[in-house]
Amino acid sequence: DSGVTQTPKHLITATGQRVTLRCSPRSGDLSVYWYQQSLDQGLQFLIQYYNGEERAKGNILERFSAQQFPDLHSELNLSSLELGDSALYFCASSRQDRGFQETQYFGPGTRLLVL
Amino acid sequence: KNQVEQSPQSLIILEGKNCTLQCNYTVSPFSNLRWYKQDTGRGPVSLTIMTFSENTKSNGRYTATLDADTKQSSLHITASQLSDSASYICVVSARVLTGGGNKLTFGTGTQLKVEL
């Protein structure tokens, strides 16, 4: 158990819909990262937040957005869903982010299926 | 463009044997390189993390090497076990020059299967 929790574990929805994925980082971790992993593909970095502020952006679509709240939990919002958005969405957390080497701890993931 | 390439794509070895996985990258400015192990359907777990000045780092039966000049890394697994069957992912971190932080580039992984 990494200490990072994600809900829900599974999500099935239809095209055009909007969903929200939730992540609670490990206690004391200020950075939260979101990743997408499609079937048989590598992890794609989406976005990172540090202490409530956006820190880095990866290959995140405009239909997707995220935020980190004062209690440090984070939500990833996916809207106008398409079939191709079906994937595993991972959240990871780390203690800090100032260019220091650090380990990211990954949550169990949310499996999204868009029908 | 920042890229991380891993080889081989997949590998099958017998239990007890050693193996080496490769990672080549074109990421700059380089911050650090990590190896992760990911079991099917689960989140990645960190094995090692190395900065520019580190050439080798071990974690039990896992030994990672880094050649920052040639931009290559390897992960050597000694005396493989059935539980080593997983995807091994190389991740290279680039410093974000404006605003701080790091941007991670993931390799697509090497799928390792250890058989009896």
Side-chain angles (χ1 to χ4, degrees):
Chain A
D1 184 6
S2 65
V4 178
T5 60
Q6 289 187 248
T7 57
K9 196 170 182 178
H10 299 277
L11 194 51
I12 302 175
T13 188
T15 55
Q17 295 298 306
R18 172 190 168 96
V19 297
T20 298
L21 312 183
R22 183 189 167 100
C23 168
S24 292
R26 293 187 321 152
S27 177
D29 284 3
L30 300 179
S31 272
V32 169
Y33 305 76
W34 284 99
Y35 298 91
Q36 179 193 57
Q37 187 173 40
S38 302
L39 190 64
D40 295 330
Q41 290 193 19
L43 281 161
Q44 296 288 324
F45 168 65
L46 296 178
I47 197 166
Q48 178 207 353
Y49 280 83
Y50 174 74
N51 203 20
E53 295 186 1
E54 184 181 304
R55 175 67 73 186
K57 231 172 185 177
N59 303 320
I60 188 166
L61 300 173
E62 286 192 10
R63 299 183 286 110
F64 296 180
S65 65
Q67 55 183 328
Q68 186 180 28
F69 295 87
D71 67 352
L72 301 177
H73 90 272
S74 178
E75 291 181 354
L76 178 67
N77 300 297
L78 315 176
S79 61
S80 302
L81 285 168
E82 302 175 359
L83 296 177
D85 296 328
S86 297
L88 260 173
Y89 290 85
F90 287 105
C91 165
S93 74
S94 63
R95 195 69 55 171
Q96 58 189 350
D97 182 62
R98 294 292 179 187
F100 304 142
Q101 67 170 8
E102 57 187 353
T103 297
Q104 290 189 14
Y105 295 86
F106 282 76
T110 291
R111 186 176 294 278
L112 173 66
L113 180 60
V114 182
L115 300 175
Chain B
K1 181 182 177 183
N2 290 340
Q3 285 187 314
V4 176
E5 294 183 354
Q6 291 186 244
S7 62
Q9 189 173 21
S10 63
L11 182 62
I12 301 175
I13 61 174
L14 293 177
E15 186 181 28
K17 298 297 185 183
N18 304 333
C19 66
T20 300
L21 314 180
Q22 301 290 344
C23 172
N24 297 337
Y25 62 92
T26 56
V27 172
S28 65
F30 178 84
S31 177
N32 58 63
L33 184 145
R34 315 155 191 237
W35 283 94
Y36 283 91
K37 177 186 177 187
Q38 184 179 21
D39 293 314
T40 301
R42 308 195 67 169
V45 174
S46 178
L47 295 176
T48 64
I49 180 169
M50 290 185 292
T51 58
F52 185 87
S53 59
E54 295 175 296
N55 300 118
T56 184
K57 186 167 275 191
S58 292
N59 178 2
R61 295 180 295 103
Y62 301 103
T63 300
T65 65
L66 174 64
D67 185 334
D69 292 330
T70 61
K71 298 187 178 182
Q72 295 180 327
S73 175
S74 66
L75 180 69
H76 186 74
I77 304 175
T78 304
S80 61
Q81 300 176 358
L82 297 178
S83 59
D84 293 332
S85 296
S87 178
Y88 291 84
I89 304 170
C90 174
V91 183
V92 184
S93 178
R95 291 192 304 276
V96 177
L97 298 178
T98 54
N102 293 275
K103 183 170 180 177
L104 304 181
T105 302
F106 283 74
T108 53
T110 291
Q111 189 67 42
L112 173 66
K113 186 173 182 181
V114 180
E115 295 182 336
L116 289 171

